[in-house]
Amino acid sequence: MNNYQLISNQVEQFKKLRDEVTRVMMMYQFALTELETKIEILKEEYQLLHDYNPIEHTKSRVKSFESIIGKIQRKNLPFSINSIRNEIKDVAGIRITCSFISDIYRVQEMLQKHFDVEIYELKDYISDPKPNGYRSLHLIAGVPVVMTTGREIVCVEIQIRTIAMDFWASLEHKIFYKYDQAVPSKLTLELKQAADAANNLDEQMERLHHEITIIKENQDNDDNDEFTRLLLNQVSKSQLKLPNIFEQAIIELPSPNEMSEESIHEKKGE
């Protein structure tokens, strides 16, 4: 084989590798687009049905090819498409920021049950924080993507955290970004204290959210009962005739005064 043929073969191999890498990177981007679309549907549907949205915002990214190469080298892996797909689990990543801690597990459950997403790995750094105080829920998920060559399952790293967790993690990353020396113990301790303070705030806001929700539900029930009475009162004044089953239900409804007394007794534990 002469030099011309050798160079020609190398060029062809390079083009083939480039096309394969481009296709794989497209798959990761398509997987994120698919997941973001599902999350957007979840947000709109939840807002419509429950008048509440558990997701504040999302942020996604696909690692640059340079970052992928660097990770392959650090792991001493052979450079190949299989190494990227099978060994590097965070090529595509999405961060979901929620309002409250309970929302994190609610979103996780909806992803698993309704989004055709298979969870391969789960790390709960909320119930078991990292030593530096880092808290978040990490999932490695398989997201189905339809390509011209067929259906592919693409790995995506999903991080779900509260606003307070995200605030602490983002600033902690900025403080130590590219800092390649041992972190002074004083700074480590202060950052851990800041993480604990953020968690205390999360727990306090969770409690307030729970209490307000109970108050709102009771108020909504009272409003619904009053609306029903007003509607029935208008029906009785008109010539409309309700079915007997509805009329019987109306008779059995307690009066507003009785409902108030019942509420007082319930609060007193009687």
Side-chain angles (χ1 to χ4, degrees):
M1 182 181 297
N2 56 39
N3 289 339
Y4 175 79
Q5 288 176 321
L6 181 62
I7 293 172
S8 178
N9 287 341
Q10 289 176 343
V11 169
E12 285 301 318
Q13 290 176 0
F14 175 79
K15 287 181 178 179
K16 183 179 179 181
L17 179 61
R18 181 197 60 190
D19 291 343
E20 289 179 354
V21 168
T22 300
R23 180 177 176 276
V24 168
M25 299 302 285
M26 285 175 62
M27 283 171 46
Y28 283 112
Q29 187 58 63
F30 292 159
L32 287 179
T33 302
E34 182 77 18
L35 198 54
E36 286 176 323
T37 301
K38 292 176 184 293
I39 292 170
E40 193 61 35
I41 292 172
L42 183 155
K43 288 168 61 177
E44 293 186 15
E45 181 182 5
Y46 218 85
Q47 183 68 49
L48 181 65
L49 296 179
H50 304 284
D51 193 26
Y52 173 72
N53 180 9
I55 298 173
E56 289 290 330
H57 55 82
T58 61
K59 184 178 181 181
S60 63
R61 62 100 183 98
V62 176
K63 275 184 179 294
S64 67
F65 193 61
E66 291 76 11
S67 296
I68 295 172
I69 297 298
K71 195 157 190 176
I72 286 176
Q73 291 174 340
R74 289 193 298 274
K75 288 191 167 191
N76 294 319
L77 298 171
F79 177 71
S80 67
I81 298 300
N82 287 336
S83 290
I84 295 174
R85 295 201 60 180
N86 299 330
E87 303 296 336
I88 311 299
K89 303 299 185 182
D90 62 343
V91 172
I94 186 167
R95 183 178 303 148
I96 304 173
T97 304
C98 298
S99 306
F100 304 98
I101 295 175
S102 57
D103 291 335
I104 293 174
Y105 297 103
R106 185 177 292 113
V107 170
Q108 175 208 346
E109 183 180 11
M110 286 188 286
L111 285 173
Q112 287 183 266
K113 285 187 175 181
H114 308 301
F115 278 17
D116 192 24
V117 171
E118 186 175 354
I119 305 300
Y120 299 139
E121 185 180 320
L122 187 152
K123 293 182 180 178
D124 191 343
Y125 295 117
I126 299 172
S127 60
D128 185 20
K130 289 186 177 181
N132 67 344
Y134 175 85
R135 288 175 170 85
S136 185
L137 187 69
H138 287 200
L139 310 172
I140 300 297
V143 178
V145 174
V146 178
M147 305 284 286
T148 56
T149 53
R151 189 173 185 267
E152 302 274 1
I153 303 298
V154 183
C155 267
V156 176
E157 183 189 51
I158 305 172
Q159 297 179 359
I160 316 177
R161 57 179 66 158
T162 64
I163 300 170
M165 294 174 193
D166 190 54
F167 167 78
W168 182 90
S170 297
L171 294 188
E172 190 267 353
H173 177 74
K174 285 185 178 181
I175 290 171
F176 291 120
Y177 182 63
K178 292 186 177 178
Y179 188 85
D180 56 358
Q181 300 180 29
V183 179
S185 58
K186 179 179 181 296
L187 293 182
T188 302
L189 178 60
E190 286 193 45
L191 278 168
K192 176 63 169 59
Q193 291 172 344
D196 292 340
N199 185 61
N200 290 336
L201 179 61
D202 261 336
E203 291 179 348
Q204 183 179 13
M205 297 306 292
E206 181 81 37
R207 178 180 58 78
L208 291 171
H209 172 62
H210 180 68
E211 292 181 5
I212 292 295
T213 300
I214 293 175
I215 293 171
K216 185 177 183 299
E217 287 176 352
N218 291 335
Q219 185 179 21
D220 288 344
N221 290 334
D222 292 343
D223 291 342
N224 289 335
D225 289 339
E226 185 60 26
F227 174 76
T228 302
R229 292 185 179 281
L230 290 172
L231 179 62
L232 296 174
N233 184 47
Q234 292 299 316
V235 170
S236 65
K237 292 179 181 179
S238 68
Q239 296 180 354
L240 295 175
K241 180 68 175 175
L242 290 175
N244 291 335
I245 188 171
F246 288 155
E247 290 187 344
Q248 183 62 36
I250 296 167
I251 295 171
E252 294 175 357
L253 278 174
S255 67
N257 291 335
E258 290 174 342
M259 287 191 293
S260 299
E261 291 175 0
E262 288 177 3
S263 299
I264 293 172
H265 293 323
E266 287 177 1
K267 291 178 180 179
K268 290 182 177 180
E270 297 179 1

